[in-house]
Amino acid sequence: MSGNPTVGERSVDGRSVDVACLGESMVTFLPSRPGRLADAPFFTRTIGGAESNVACALAVAGHRVKWVSQVGQDGFGDHLVEAIGAYGVDVSAVGRDALRPTGIYFRTATDRATDEHEVVYYRAGSAASAMSPATVGPEAVGDARVLHLSGITAALSDDCLALMRELTAPREGRPTVSFDVNFRPALWREASHGGGVLLELAREADLVFVGADEAEAAWGVAGPEAVRALLPEPATLVVKRGGRGAVVFERDIPAGPGGHAPDTPTGTDTPTPTDTVTFAAAPRVDVVAPVGAGDAFAAGFLSGTLRGLPVRERIRHGHLMAAAALTAPGDLGHPPARRPPATPHAAAPRRSPWIAHADRLVALDDAAWGRLHLGPGWTRTGADQEGRTP
């Protein structure tokens, strides 16, 4: 997509929001000490949700963002709306449900992939799980340049899946659709069914994020090239490889409606779409909590995309956002923006402090980037342990 020349100015196409993020957010409870949930005497309350994580990170980066969801008409719903709004996210499109509760969950701080990790969800029958085409129409996201979705929403209920299918269906005026696969086998009644649904939705998107490990788990394909062969439709495919880095496949010829490759009539000389393939390594990070990094990466990459940056710089911005999440105990790696919640027509900062600092690191040459070593507090102090900026 074309770049936004000055972050915070109204888009030339008349859309007043840079990104609309749709999905469930929950109140999260983190144990006061390491170990089993059963042994934790106290918990710290925070917030967590794939799409709202992306919204908050983008707002801190200076973009105009709205969060579209439903929460209960309860104290936890109040907390979510207030906390996410404090990051500068427009929360005016969040519905309140008097009959259903806000979802909550408890988790340990260990890596999700390890046997020690525990997570307990209380989200069945939540307000967000009742989202449907009847409660959230296309007009709720029609003022956005980009609509960001994740596969988690599709797993919440049949109504949520119907909504996802409606929002990703090709139509005139549809925002650019960004889709993070976010395969969570425990959320699906049958993991194999979940993989098929997520593949269907990804094929309708313009920009897709997927981890190499989850692509293998969901679809049985190994390696970035195999993922691209399975998913040729999106104009941009981002395959994340954990601490190694990320590979981006970006189509070289203009896309047709909805971001997909244009049809090629038989007998014409229209070229077959080809990709430019870009890899960017991730910096070394002292991990505090391995949760929320994927959402943060998506936010950093989307921020770079909105600004029209080259692909390698977009990937590096994704890595830096992920590093911010990895070096903080909660799902979010940035302090709230110290400004009132945004409205669709409110002016956002032209250049946030986060963007200015991240731009300096992104501009490092390959050798200096390779020496970069980020630890806790680097987003606050601007300091890194190796490879300091000039």
Side-chain angles (χ1 to χ4, degrees):
M1 63 183 296
S2 60
N4 188 14
T6 305
V7 175
E9 291 184 354
R10 188 176 176 87
S11 175
V12 294
D13 62 4
R15 298 182 188 248
S16 58
V17 175
D18 291 324
V19 183
C21 300
L22 182 147
E24 180 174 35
S25 190
M26 293 176 288
V27 175
T28 310
F29 292 92
L30 304 178
S32 57
R33 66 188 188 193
R36 303 184 310 157
L37 290 177
D39 300 327
F42 304 105
F43 292 84
T44 299
R45 182 189 65 178
T46 181
I47 59 175
E51 301 83 5
S52 62
N53 290 347
V54 172
C56 291
L58 282 168
V60 170
H63 299 283
R64 286 190 314 275
V65 191
K66 70 188 299 186
W67 174 47
V68 182
S69 189
Q70 291 178 184
V71 299
Q73 199 167 318
D74 50 33
F76 287 144
D78 293 342
H79 175 63
L80 282 175
V81 171
E82 292 167 6
I84 293 170
Y87 279 80
V89 176
D90 174 10
V91 293
S92 62
V94 178
R96 306 301 295 264
D97 191 324
L99 302 178
R100 300 175 181 86
T102 303
I104 64 173
Y105 75 104
F106 297 76
R107 68 165 175 82
T108 56
T110 51
D111 191 328
R112 185 182 282 116
T114 66
D115 292 337
E116 292 77 22
H117 181 71
E118 293 179 77
V119 58
V120 181
Y121 290 105
Y122 296 92
R123 73 195 309 177
S126 69
S129 71
M131 288 190 295
S132 71
T135 62
V136 182
E139 66 279 359
V141 298
D143 57 350
R145 298 173 61 196
V146 177
L147 169 61
H148 181 72
L149 306 167
S150 98
I152 293 174
T153 305
L156 296 181
S157 67
D158 291 341
D159 282 344
C160 283
L161 176 55
L163 174 62
M164 292 284 286
R165 284 174 168 152
E166 178 169 301
L167 293 175
T168 56
R171 67 177 186 276
E172 188 68 28
R174 187 190 82 171
T176 295
V177 173
S178 165
F179 180 68
D180 193 336
V181 171
N182 260 327
F183 179 51
R184 300 287 184 267
L187 292 179
W188 295 91
R189 288 188 294 271
E190 296 180 17
S192 58
H193 172 67
V197 169
L198 296 177
L199 184 60
E200 168 201 334
L201 294 171
R203 285 175 168 162
E204 296 292 353
D206 306 299
L207 165 60
V208 172
F209 299 94
V210 64
D213 55 346
E214 64 182 346
E216 186 166 6
W219 304 323
V221 294
E225 291 76 16
V227 178
R228 184 51 159 172
L230 184 70
L231 263 179
E233 295 88 357
T236 305
L237 172 66
V238 182
V239 182
K240 299 171 290 182
R241 310 193 73 181
R244 294 180 59 186
V247 179
V248 172
F249 299 85
E250 187 158 71
R251 187 175 301 123
D252 290 333
I253 69 171
H260 293 70
D263 294 332
T264 304
T266 303
T268 69
D269 295 328
T270 305
T272 300
T274 59
D275 285 327
T276 294
V277 183
T278 306
F279 171 79
R284 287 184 293 165
V285 177
D286 293 333
V287 177
V288 172
V291 180
D295 306 329
F297 180 94
F301 190 91
L302 282 169
S303 177
T305 301
L306 288 163
R307 298 170 62 208
L309 300 181
V311 174
R312 190 182 74 152
E313 294 182 21
R314 293 183 229 166
I315 302 173
R316 284 188 171 187
H317 273 286
H319 288 324
L320 291 175
M321 282 276 198
L326 290 169
T327 52
D331 285 15
L332 292 166
H334 306 285
R338 301 302 180 187
R339 60 181 183 273
T343 62
H345 299 286
R350 288 179 179 270
R351 184 178 171 126
S352 75
W354 163 260
I355 286 290
H357 177 45
D359 279 346
R360 288 193 294 270
L361 294 179
V362 165
L364 293 173
D365 61 30
D366 288 343
W369 178 265
R371 294 192 300 271
L372 202 59
H373 188 172
L374 303 171
W378 73 273
T379 60
R380 294 192 304 271
T381 65
D384 53 83
Q385 297 171 16
E386 299 179 22
R388 297 179 184 274
T389 53

